[in-house]
Amino acid sequence: STYQAIAIFQKIGDSQELAVCYNTIGVIHYYQGSFDKALEHYLKALKLAEVAGVKKLQANYLNNIGIIFHAQHQPTKALE
């Protein structure tokens, strides 16, 4: 499961793969309609992608954060 993967990646200190895992959890929450939980996980993913220095992941996670704000009827925040 994703949480098992998180435990392993935390143990070996792999920020990039941790970011991917947290994004996955965020996507699941998004499709369940739990936008606050999705946002929480996307923000964790973004921080980890920044630590890992992977710009492509950072851009993807910023886009996901924008999608959350759009879903919450906050278009101005979505476009920031």
Side-chain angles (χ1 to χ4, degrees):
S1 80
T2 305
Y3 288 112
Q4 291 171 320
I6 286 173
I8 292 168
F9 291 132
Q10 284 176 330
K11 194 172 190 175
I12 63 174
D14 192 328
S15 297
Q16 181 175 340
E17 293 301 327
L18 275 169
V20 171
C21 289
Y22 281 111
N23 183 66
T24 299
I25 295 169
V27 169
I28 292 166
H29 284 299
Y30 172 80
Y31 283 112
Q32 291 177 333
S34 301
F35 300 134
D36 290 337
K37 287 184 179 182
L39 180 60
E40 176 185 330
H41 286 87
Y42 290 154
L43 290 170
K44 282 184 186 179
L46 177 59
K47 270 190 172 179
L48 288 161
E50 289 169 349
V51 168
V54 183
K55 297 287 186 191
K56 184 176 180 179
L57 290 181
Q58 291 174 42
N60 286 335
Y61 303 152
L62 285 166
N63 188 57
N64 286 350
I65 291 165
I67 291 168
I68 292 295
F69 288 132
H70 175 46
Q72 293 177 325
H73 307 287
Q74 299 179 58
T76 303
K77 285 183 99 172
L79 294 172
E80 289 179 355

